[in-house]
Amino acid sequence: MQSIYQQQLGSEFQRLHPRIQERLAFASEHQRAFIGEGTMERVWHGPFYTQPFLRVGLLRNIMFPDAGQNIPFRIENYAYLDPLGRETVTWIRRFQFPKHTRCFDATMIRSQQRACIVDYLGTHQHLAVDIDLAVTARGGLQLRSGEQRFYEGPLNFRFPMLFSGLAEVEEWYDDAADCYRIQVEVRNKVFGKFFGYYGSFRPRWQSVGPDQIPAYALPRRHERRE
């Protein structure tokens, strides 16, 4: 089985750096996990008026109001079939600040209905974001967020893009330093820059059966609506 990223990128997947291909080419049937550990050289947030939005994100592991330099970082990607039968990949990110650990979690699926990757942010899959993928000139993967939808019980509405946080992410492989690098920036058209980080990490692969994926890596509920 191809991974959701191979399916979405098609022949473009071959243009990725071989180490990025390796990182993204696993699916649930492979029963393995990518664990990356490293350092974010800088974690930053926007002006004071962005703090209330970032603090709300703390409630469900979506962004956070902290900033710092040389922050220890860990990312865990597990692939599994969710209860709805969808191939899913977790993006569990941990930032170890001096006084606490901050979390930025998501699960991704490939939506045939929407013809794109859908990123469910946070612990409850209540916020679904369309993600466009592209291959950069240095063989990295670029992810750009698009339309965003909120699902909670009977609530079902689309966020106005004017008030949405638009994320731009690039992951690439640095041959000289023999590590992965990542750069993330979230901004709003009205309020400017919200949140971001950049740094590097090195990988290790781990064999993981379907029943061995840690509970903290799985969403507390699975949302059918894409």
Side-chain angles (χ1 to χ4, degrees):
M1 173 185 286
Q2 290 188 321
S3 74
I4 60 173
Y5 308 104
Q6 289 172 301
Q7 294 174 38
Q8 185 61 30
L9 282 171
S11 60
E12 281 290 284
F13 192 84
Q14 301 304 317
R15 292 184 54 233
L16 291 167
H17 188 287
R19 297 299 299 274
I20 296 292
Q21 291 188 38
E22 177 188 39
R23 167 152 168 56
L24 299 173
F26 71 104
S28 59
E29 67 178 22
H30 300 120
Q31 298 191 13
R32 60 197 304 236
F34 178 97
I35 310 296
E37 294 179 314
T39 303
M40 290 300 107
E41 297 171 30
R42 183 174 175 235
V43 181
W44 56 267
H45 56 69
F48 69 94
Y49 52 78
T50 64
Q51 288 285 304
F53 301 100
L54 297 174
R55 288 191 177 280
V56 170
L58 281 176
L59 300 175
R60 292 197 171 178
N61 292 358
I62 306 173
M63 301 191 291
F64 45 81
D66 303 79
Q69 295 184 339
N70 299 320
I71 304 300
F73 171 79
R74 178 181 174 94
I75 183 168
E76 301 177 23
N77 300 118
Y78 302 94
Y80 68 99
L81 282 180
D82 77 3
L84 302 170
R86 302 177 300 189
E87 186 72 24
T88 306
V89 178
T90 71
W91 290 73
I92 305 301
R93 287 154 285 203
R94 297 290 180 266
F95 300 79
Q96 186 62 57
F97 288 91
K99 294 185 178 180
H100 41 235
T101 301
R102 292 306 195 196
C103 308
F104 184 16
D105 297 342
T107 45
M108 292 189 187
I109 64 165
R110 178 173 182 261
S111 170
Q112 293 191 356
Q113 172 190 347
R114 304 191 66 80
C116 67
I117 296 294
V118 170
D119 192 9
Y120 289 108
L121 298 179
T123 54
H124 289 66
Q125 293 199 340
H126 68 282
L127 185 59
V129 181
D130 289 347
I131 300 292
D132 288 328
L133 304 182
V135 180
T136 65
R138 54 187 165 193
L141 179 69
Q142 182 183 68
L143 304 92
R144 282 182 171 159
S145 66
E147 184 182 295
Q148 302 176 14
R149 299 165 297 282
F150 183 87
Y151 302 125
E152 186 81 55
L155 292 178
N156 173 2
F157 62 89
R158 184 167 55 187
F159 270 102
M161 294 305 290
L162 189 63
F163 300 109
S164 297
L166 303 174
E168 184 162 325
V169 179
E170 187 188 3
E171 272 201 25
W172 70 99
Y173 197 78
D174 184 336
D175 284 306
D178 192 24
C179 66
Y180 291 93
R181 294 195 181 277
I182 185 169
Q183 180 164 298
V184 176
E185 180 176 297
V186 181
R187 61 167 55 237
N188 174 271
K189 290 181 179 178
V190 176
F191 300 108
K193 294 183 177 180
F194 259 45
F195 168 82
Y197 55 90
Y198 60 84
S200 62
F201 55 91
R202 288 190 167 86
R204 63 180 171 85
W205 289 93
Q206 181 176 313
S207 296
V208 177
D211 298 332
Q212 296 173 311
I213 297 175
Y216 65 78
L218 299 173
R220 297 180 192 176
R221 71 176 180 90
H222 289 86
E223 174 59 55
R224 182 181 299 274
R225 293 164 289 189
E226 298 175 355

